[in-house]
């Protein structure tokens, strides 16, 4: 059964939060990280599937919308990983091996966009990988 548009919007919003936490873990979201995320959204996430939000836009744009909002509001990212873990548990069928690989690829690209991956980003990506592999 295909997930509803509402579920897919929530999925992409969760991803926007996760990708924000990767960029913000060093207390600065850099323009290079934003540019890399936007490039990957266009190239990888938009063509992935055909759900749409309440405005008729591709649901994958929710990644960028949420990421930008969190960046502008300097959101505290401490609750993002626990919330993502809960969402993952409630919507296991969305997390196929291909989707998990794309999530990690996007997280890695954001982390490497500005002078390579630092220790805090490495730890956060490891936590994300554990959740995606269902090893929590």
């Amino acid at each position: 059964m295909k997930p509803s548009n509402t579920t897919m919007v929530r999925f992409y919003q969760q991803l926007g939060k996760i990708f924000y936490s990767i960029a913000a873990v060093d207390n600065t979201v850099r323009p290079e990280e934003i540019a890399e995320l936007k490039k990957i959204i266009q190239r990888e996430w938009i063509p992935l599937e055909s759900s749409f939000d309440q405005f008729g836009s591709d649901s994958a744009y929710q990644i960028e919308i949420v990421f930008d909002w969190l960046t502008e509001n300097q959101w505290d990212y401490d609750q993002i990983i626990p919330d993502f873990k809960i969402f993952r548990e409630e919507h296991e069928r969305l997390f196929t091996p291909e989707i998990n690989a794309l999530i990690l690829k996007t997280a890695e690209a954001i982390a490497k966009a500005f002078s390579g991956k630092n220790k805090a980003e490495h730890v956060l990506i490891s936590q994300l990988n554990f959740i995606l592999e269902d090893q929590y």
Side-chain angles (χ1 to χ4, degrees), residues 33-50:
E33 294 167 321
I34 296 168
E36 187 63 27
L37 175 63
K38 289 182 181 197
K39 184 172 67 174
I40 292 173
I41 290 170
Q42 287 298 316
R43 188 178 61 229
E44 308 264 356
W45 289 102
I46 298 293
L48 193 61
E49 53 86 42
S50 62

Side-chain angles (χ1 to χ4, degrees), residues 68 101 116 133:
D68 288 347
E133 290 182 356

Side-chain angles (χ1 to χ4, degrees), residues 54-96:
Q54 67 270 25
F55 303 108
S57 299
D58 193 298
S59 296
Y61 283 116
Q62 289 295 317
I63 298 170
E64 187 176 332
I65 292 166
V66 169
F67 184 97
D68 288 347
W69 189 90
L70 294 171
T71 300
E72 289 172 18
N73 292 283
Q74 299 177 345
W75 196 258
D76 180 13
Y77 55 86
D78 290 338
Q79 191 57 38
I80 291 173
I81 288 287
D83 288 349
F84 184 75
K85 181 178 167 185
I86 292 166
F87 184 85
R88 162 76 171 81
E89 290 170 355
E90 292 173 350
H91 301 281
E92 286 184 39
R93 70 186 191 288
L94 296 177
F95 294 88
T96 64

